[in-house]
Amino acid sequence: MIIKPVIQGVVAKSAHPLGCKQALINQINYVKSAPAIKDGPKRVLILGGSSGFGLAARIALTFGGAEADTISVSFEKPPGDGRTGSAGFYNDYYFKQFAQQHGRQAINIHGDAFSNQVKADVIEAIETYFEGEVDLIIYSVASGIRPDPDSDKVWRSSIKPMLEPVSGATLMLENDHWQPSRLEVATEQEASDTIKVMGGEDWEKWIDALINAESIAPGCQTLAFSYIGPDITHPIYLDGTLGRAKVDLHQTSHSLNLKLANFDGGAYAAVCKALVTKASVFIPGLSPYLIALYKVMKQKGTHEGCIEQMQRLFTTKLYSQNPVPVDGERLIRIDDLELDSDTQTQVKQLLAEMNSENFQQLGDYQGFKNEFLNLNGFGFDNIDYSQPIDTDMFIK
C-alpha cells in the first residue's frame, strides 16, 4: 500500500515504516556523537519502550555508551486488514535489527503492561536473556486507561483542572486550526481514577513482582518520567488531575527507594522538559505553550528533544554522580533549560500576543507539527512516500 499521513484531530491513524526507521537512525547517530554514558547499566527493562522518552532511553542506553541489552514492553498494533500498524510497532521492529547489528540483545514483548501475564512473560525473559537480573527498570507507560488484571474493572484518566475551569486552545494537527477549549473542574472520582491510571501504583507492582522473582541485581535503579512545568501551565497540569497523578508517582519513588536500598539501589522520578509526544498533544491548552517554548528555546540554542534529554539525563545525572543529584523533593531535574527565567519571560510574552490568527507566525507551529509527523514516520526529505510498502513483510 501507499502510506500517507492520516490525522484525526491530534491522533495519528497511520505510520510509515521507512520513516520510523529513519527517525531511529537519526537518534542513534545523535547519541553516538554525544558525550558517552559511563558506568551505565548493562541489563535494562523498559516498560513503554516503543516511543517518546521510553524509546529515547532505550536508544541512549544501547548506542550512547552504556552498551546495554534491553527488554521493552509495549502495547502496539501490527499491520493488517488495510491498517498500517502503529509507529511503535515499527520502532520495535527496526530497533531490534539495529541493536543486533550492534551486538546487543533487544527483546520486544507486545502486550498490556498492566496485566499479570505480561509481568510473568517479562520475568521469564529476564531469566532467559539476562541471567535472571536487571540493573535498571524504566517505567514510561503512557495510557489513558488501566484494566484491573484481577477483575472486570477499568479505570479511565481525565485531563482536567482541579481548582477552577480552564480556558485555552488545542492546536488541531488535522487541519492546522486553533480550537478554543474550556475544561470544567474534575470530580474527586475523576481525579482518583486518573491517579489509578497515571500514578505510581502499577510502577510499584512491577518492582514488587521483580523483587519477589529475585530479578533485582545489586545496585539496581528504577526511574519514572514526570513533568512539573512553569506556573503558566500549572492550572491544567500541576494543579489538575495530571498533577495529582504525578504527585502520587513522586511519592511512589520514595517508597520504592526504600525497597531498593536493600539492594544498594535507588528509585527516582525524573522531571523532563515539555515536548511533542503522542501523549502531550492530547493535553488541552498545552500545545500553544509548546509552540511558544520551541520558538524561544530554538532561538536561544537550548532546545532538546526526547533523545537529547535522555542522553543528558544518563550522562550528567543518573550515572555521573554518586549520590545522584536531586532537588529538595528528591526529584531529578532535567527541565532546567525550559524553566530558565529569561526563557519563560519570552514564552509568556509570545503567549500573550498569540491567537487563532497569528499562532503559526508567532510560535514554532511548523516545528511542532513536523515533530509530530516524525513520530509517525512522516516528514523526512529522503523518504519517497509515493512508493508502495509491502506491510505483509512485517507480519511475516
Side-chain angles (χ1 to χ4, degrees):
M1 67 172 74
I2 294 175
I3 303 176
K4 300 291 185 184
V6 178
I7 303 173
Q8 291 181 2
V10 293
V11 179
K13 293 295 201 179
S14 62
H16 200 287
L18 297 184
C20 292
K21 180 181 182 181
Q22 185 60 51
L24 275 174
I25 290 170
N26 293 353
Q27 292 176 82
I28 290 168
N29 288 342
Y30 170 77
V31 299
K32 285 182 174 179
S33 66
I37 301 166
K38 294 185 172 67
D39 302 318
K42 299 301 181 185
R43 300 163 297 181
V44 179
L45 168 62
I46 304 176
L47 306 165
S50 61
S51 63
F53 285 119
L55 175 62
R58 194 180 194 192
I59 293 167
L61 291 165
T62 299
F63 299 98
E67 301 289 325
D69 296 323
T70 58
I71 297 171
S72 169
V73 175
S74 57
F75 198 55
E76 300 298 342
K77 295 177 181 175
D81 298 327
R83 300 188 313 271
T84 65
S86 62
F89 174 85
Y90 296 118
N91 291 338
D92 279 352
Y93 177 91
Y94 284 113
F95 182 90
K96 186 180 182 74
Q97 283 192 2
F98 291 138
Q100 288 175 338
Q101 291 166 11
H102 192 64
R104 302 266 58 89
Q105 292 259 30
I107 311 303
N108 297 323
I109 296 176
H110 287 167
D112 177 8
F114 298 121
S115 74
N116 295 326
Q117 183 58 55
V118 166
K119 288 180 174 67
D121 291 344
V122 166
I123 289 167
E124 183 179 343
I126 291 170
E127 192 66 38
T128 303
Y129 299 102
F130 285 0
E131 299 177 334
E133 293 181 333
V134 288
D135 306 313
L136 173 66
I137 303 124
I138 293 175
Y139 192 86
S140 184
V141 175
S143 175
I145 64 171
R146 176 186 168 192
D148 182 354
D150 301 315
S151 73
D152 294 332
K153 187 170 179 58
V154 176
W155 296 285
R156 298 181 185 278
S157 63
S158 301
I159 302 174
K160 290 184 176 182
M162 291 298 300
L163 303 179
E164 58 185 13
V166 171
S167 296
T170 299
L171 305 183
M172 305 305 286
L173 291 154
E174 177 181 4
N175 52 20
D176 303 327
H177 282 181
W178 171 288
Q179 182 169 301
S181 59
R182 176 183 165 87
L183 293 174
E184 299 302 325
V185 174
T187 65
E188 284 299 326
Q189 185 61 54
E190 287 174 322
S192 176
D193 288 353
T194 304
I195 291 170
K196 275 285 188 182
V197 177
M198 297 182 170
E201 186 176 71
D202 185 60
W203 183 20
E204 187 150 22
K205 283 181 178 291
W206 270 100
I207 301 304
D208 286 345
L210 294 166
I211 289 173
N212 291 337
E214 299 183 347
S215 299
I216 301 292
C220 179
Q221 313 261 39
T222 188
L223 181 72
F225 301 122
S226 187
Y227 182 68
I228 292 176
D231 57 1
I232 201 165
T233 68
H234 287 180
I236 184 57
Y237 206 103
L238 187 65
D239 297 334
T241 53
L242 285 171
R244 289 268 188 104
K246 293 304 183 185
V247 167
D248 185 78
L249 190 80
H250 300 167
Q251 291 172 341
T252 301
S253 75
H254 304 325
S255 63
L256 293 181
N257 194 57
L258 293 174
K259 291 181 180 182
L260 290 184
N262 295 321
F263 302 88
D264 295 322
Y268 304 94
V271 182
C272 300
K273 169 183 183 283
L275 285 167
V276 178
T277 66
K278 291 179 183 180
S280 68
V281 293
F282 271 99
I283 303 171
L286 189 64
S287 40
Y289 170 74
L290 279 168
I291 66 172
L293 181 70
Y294 274 39
K295 182 71 170 281
V296 172
M297 294 190 76
K298 286 180 180 180
Q299 287 175 343
K300 292 172 74 76
T302 57
H303 175 71
E304 293 175 318
C306 288
I307 194 65
E308 291 87 358
Q309 281 261 289
M310 291 300 97
Q311 190 72 8
R312 185 159 72 93
L313 170 66
F314 296 129
T315 54
T316 69
K317 305 286 186 182
L318 197 60
Y319 293 107
S320 70
Q321 303 179 49
N322 190 9
V324 174
V326 292
D327 69 4
E329 296 179 35
R330 225 183 55 79
L331 302 169
I332 298 175
R333 303 303 292 260
I334 201 76
D335 60 345
D336 48 341
L337 300 178
E338 174 186 358
L339 297 185
D340 168 73
S341 59
D342 182 60
T343 295
Q344 286 302 317
T345 298
Q346 292 187 46
V347 168
K348 286 179 183 177
Q349 290 171 347
L350 271 182
L351 283 171
E353 301 169 23
M354 200 179 289
N355 57 45
S356 60
E357 302 298 320
N358 63 18
F359 73 93
Q360 295 199 43
Q361 290 73 44
L362 289 184
D364 183 25
Y365 178 72
Q366 204 52 55
F368 171 84
K369 185 165 185 177
N370 284 345
E371 204 161 298
F372 180 81
L373 289 170
N374 288 171
L375 289 176
N376 299 289
F378 298 104
F380 293 100
D381 294 337
N382 60 330
I383 305 292
D384 185 353
Y385 293 101
S386 66
Q387 292 299 308
I389 297 291
D390 178 13
T391 56
D392 287 346
M393 175 190 77
F394 296 96
I395 302 170
K396 293 168 188 169

